[in-house]
Amino acid sequence: MQNHIKDKIEAISARYPDKKSAIIPALDILQREKNNNLSSEDIREVAHYLGTTESRAYGVATYYTMFNVKPVGKYHLQVDTNIPGFLTGADEILKHLEKKLGIKSGQTTADELFTLTEVQDLGSCGTCPVIQVNDIYYENMTLEKTDMLIDSLRKGIMPEPDKTSYYSTECNILLKNRGKENSRSIKTYKSNGGYKTLEKALSMKPSDIIAAVKEAMLRGRGGAGFPAGLKWGFLPKNDDRPVYLICNADEGEPGTFKDRQIMEYDPHLLIEGIAISAYAIGAKKAFIYIRGEFRWIAEILEKAVKEAEDEGHLKYTDIVVHKGAGSYVCGDETALLESLEGKRGYPREKPPFPANKGLYNCPTIINNVETLATVPFIIEHGVEEFRKIGTTGNFGPKLYGVSGHVNRPGMYEFPLGTPLEKILDAAGGVKGKLKAVIVGGLSVPILRADEIKGLKMDYDSCLKAGTMLGSGGIMVINDTVSIPELTLRTIGFYAHESCGQCVPCRKGSHTIKELLKKILHKNGTEEDIELVLKLCRNIKGRTICPTGDAFSIPVEAMILKFRDEFDALVSN
Amino acid sequence: MELKKMIIDEREVFFEEGKTVLQVARENDIYIPSLCYHRKTGPAGRCRVCLVEVEGMRGLQTSCSLPAKEDMEVKTHTEEIIEAQKLFINLLLADGHHNCLSCEANGECELQQACYHLGIEVPAFQVDSLKEDYDDSGEMIRRDPNKCIHCGRCIDACNSVVVNEVLDFGYRGRDVKVICDNDLPMGDSQCVQCGECSQLCPVGAIIDKKSIGKGRTWELEKINTTCPYCGVGCQLTAYVDKKKNHIVKITGREVPPNDGMLCVKGRYGYEFVSHPDRLKYPMIKKDGKHVRVSWDEAIDYTAERIKTIIKRDGPDVFSAFGSGRITNESNYAIMKFTRAVIKTNNVDHCART
Ligand SMILES: Cc1cc2nc3c(=O)[nH]c(=O)nc-3n(C[C@H](O)[C@H](O)[C@H](O)COP(=O)(O)O)c2cc1C
Ligand code: SF4
Ligand code: SF4
Ligand code: SF4
Ligand code: SF4
Ligand code: FES
């Protein structure tokens, strides 16, 4: 390994309590130095350098999709064909590229200029279709823009990406700085009171902060809606191990693109939230685990952390931005811990829970970006003000990401409990005739058009309506869409992302995918549909992590609610 | 230790604190299908087949990771459990290539055993899956990925039991496979062919090459004995083809001192036992030819020669070598004999460098 690479790896590994944690960043550094490719020899060197086994390092390199163990061309074009992309024409773009470049997905052009890959969910649901070229996202793509992009790349120029995206806010909390000039600079942030709340918090007793968050009934925004204050209370008392806070910025579930709005446009809001929360739980070190594809956002965060440090706001807690490398399952909190420890993203069996045995076997709290970014408001304005927003037991603001068949897909901040119809109106209304809505990211049961009347978008109301608020990623589907096709896309995503650790998920997702393909190709039978349902029923609740539920629940709902469309495919 | 009581399938059973439900069931001869748990590698939670129903707990639990508790009431074969177990095993069968007819693991395979108990004769459904090649590069071990159920026992064994750190999982999802180092053929990797992975593989995905086709477990006599190679005294079981009077396979016994582990010599170096050149009785060279003699004659002859030579040339022309293959006590006796009887300090040991 050349010395300058060694120095870089050395510098990065010094940020972790255990240098094995630096394996993903180290592989990333090496890959960048080697024209975007990783050889077996590179991986072996990293293993030796960080003191881990060769097979462990190779297992890591082949687990995460962002490591190119097979060679790729100068420009790696990745087209996201997951649901929001599928709804907005990503398939056409992929086909167009295949024709234009004369290669299939997974191949490289003879001149080694382009590699084309079909990928699953880049977190751009509101700005689909998206093509990722090396580190850059080209969003809001059309066939025409695709042609322009390729022509430009052929000339060796990476064009400026189109950054348009729709948003609005009724609460002015999470998106309050969005749209301001230099919204991400510490100057802008401080100009209306930023970091004053942290000062206030540091003068409070940590237990009083925890009590306030508890009383505010702030529910986790990562998907499960678990009360944050209650989770913090699970930390063991009188324990001399260090405590860690991890901000989950993996944002990998199709339909979800909310956390990036905070991180990209108001990073200091998140950093202040992390600093307050870390102080409350006694964490001297906090990590932001951000999905690796959001490289430019990670850079924004790193810069913001540096600014906050320089201005003396991070004296209590040191914040490390850690980039993942392409794995949805690493959003699961225990998979995230493994990944952060430098391993494959294999979820752990629970118990023990992370509050007791988390990162490096130490007490650890993991919260979503939006959850932590909401904390400053509670401390600044008090519990009472916070509880004025939203509905009983579902207090506070919420980011709703709307994608698919609406006129203005984007990010809309409303109080929890806002009617779905109102949110859809804010998003410019439905394009065409509404057929179905998935209200909380791809892992929740789909709702038919007739089921959404009057639906309030909060945790309890969604549960009552037979679905879940999840991440608040709303995917709107009009009547041009075949639900069996949508179901295949759904399972396609999970089969691609399954970590492969447990049988029902590894083999189940693949088998369901194969059965649905068979049905869609009109080779299926009624028994195949029944078998898919039986698999869903049996997988639910029986896997190591909730990924098994995350596909069996929505797939089952799609079939049960749109059975006639499936029957039509098998009856003739 | 005080025993606690719990109920499994309406039967009262007693257990020591700290055991899992699967362990308690096994101790009481209650069979719960399980594919990934092994005492030495611990609960892995990967197969999800060891399901049980527990009074007062929602859903089904994996018994391998569930601590047994006083007064717990457990059911092991409700309809719900059996449906799930059958389905999960069918998933494995559908996307693998199993044919017990000529499989080396036949009769000792934990997947086959589970199928037998659940009455699965043929896979209930099939999905397309390509057949992969064996990895036959290892000197002693064959790996057959088509039969691998990804339980991870070999990996945990290699990393945590014998600590050779060769194996791990590579790739992801359905493409997951067990890799050696940088996904090298086993024979090119750092593997020392200790065979611990082969011993702990619950199916026929890692097998001992030399035993292939040499006899099925129930046709072979199993003889427990001590490894003759070194002084550690590893305990092993020799699988013997009685008719041919040949050892065809060796496995380690899970008792002290080796708890199942063996080295490459102990596990795979057994041909010498029936090698035609093997020295089986004492011989003395008479008229240029080795002739079989009795032990008494051999010992008398040797003693006589030692005495004569020492008398002629003094004790320092004598030297003795101990051996790593014999016990401490025997090595002590050699030392004592050399110093006290022969009266020389010329005593050494083959393991000294
Ligand atoms: C497969 C899977 C993926 C997940 N992905 C994310 C994610 O991308 N971001 C996130 O915040 N939570 C994700 N979660 C939920 C986390 O496990 C965890 O519950 C959450 O980060 C806790 O934060 P909260 O309580 O603030 O919501 C995921 C869970 C699973 C099972
Ligand atoms: S449910 Fe899926 S993602 Fe979760 S541990 Fe099992 S195989 Fe991995
Ligand atoms: S591994 Fe087991 S189930 Fe598979 S063929 Fe061999 S004996 Fe049969
Ligand atoms: S034979 Fe021994 S060293 Fe080789 S892979 Fe198996 S357990 Fe590891
Ligand atoms: S080779 Fe055997 S022990 Fe290893 S994972 Fe496969 S089935 Fe399990
Ligand atoms: S034996 Fe319990 S999950 Fe495999």
Side-chain angles (χ1 to χ4, degrees), chain A residues 220-222 231 248 250-252 328 331-333 367-368 371 546-547:
Chain A
R221 306 295 198 235
K231 192 193 285 188
N248 189 344
D250 197 48
E251 188 133 275
Y328 156 72
D332 168 76
E333 50 189 23
N367 274 123
N368 172 255
T371 315
T547 302

Side-chain angles (χ1 to χ4, degrees), chain B residues 75-127:
Chain B
K75 292 199 179 103
T76 70
H77 47 268
T78 66
E79 251 175 63
E80 192 190 359
I81 293 171
I82 290 169
E83 177 173 289
Q85 287 173 331
K86 279 188 170 170
L87 204 56
F88 296 168
I89 287 177
N90 267 307
L91 281 170
L92 284 172
L93 297 178
D95 194 21
H97 294 272
H98 292 271
N99 183 348
C100 306
L101 297 180
S102 63
C103 181
E104 274 307 306
N106 186 4
E108 287 191 322
C109 169
E110 292 173 40
L111 178 62
Q112 190 190 48
Q113 194 190 8
C115 290
Y116 176 78
H117 277 268
L118 292 163
I120 302 173
E121 285 183 46
V122 281
F125 46 88
Q126 203 69 53
V127 291

Side-chain angles (χ1 to χ4, degrees), chain B residues 147-154 169 178 197 200-203 205-206:
Chain B
K147 289 176 184 155
C148 175
I149 56 169
H150 306 96
C151 67
R153 263 155 61 164
C154 55
F169 281 121
V178 178
C197 53
L200 291 195
C201 179
V203 294
I206 307 187

Side-chain angles (χ1 to χ4, degrees), chain A residues 195 197-199 201-202 209 232 245 247 267-284 286 288 308 312-319 372-373 375-376 379:
Chain A
Y195 287 110
T197 315
L198 174 60
E199 258 173 54
L202 293 174
I209 302 176
W232 296 2
L245 174 66
C247 169
H268 287 285
L269 177 66
L270 175 62
I271 292 169
E272 187 169 16
I274 292 175
I276 297 171
S277 309
Y279 169 71
I281 63 171
K284 294 276 188 196
I288 303 176
H313 301 303
L314 297 180
K315 289 205 184 101
Y316 186 85
T317 304
D318 166 36
I319 300 178
L372 293 169
V375 170
I379 303 305

Side-chain angles (χ1 to χ4, degrees), chain B residues 141 143 154 157-159 162-167 180 186 189-198 206 262 268:
Chain B
I141 294 171
R143 303 195 304 145
C154 55
C158 187
N159 290 297
V162 288
V163 203
N164 285 327
E165 301 184 327
V166 177
L167 301 180
C180 302
M186 188 177 233
S189 75
Q190 300 176 66
C191 168
V192 296
Q193 302 280 294
C194 71
E196 181 72 5
C197 53
S198 157
I206 307 187
L262 292 172
Y268 298 117

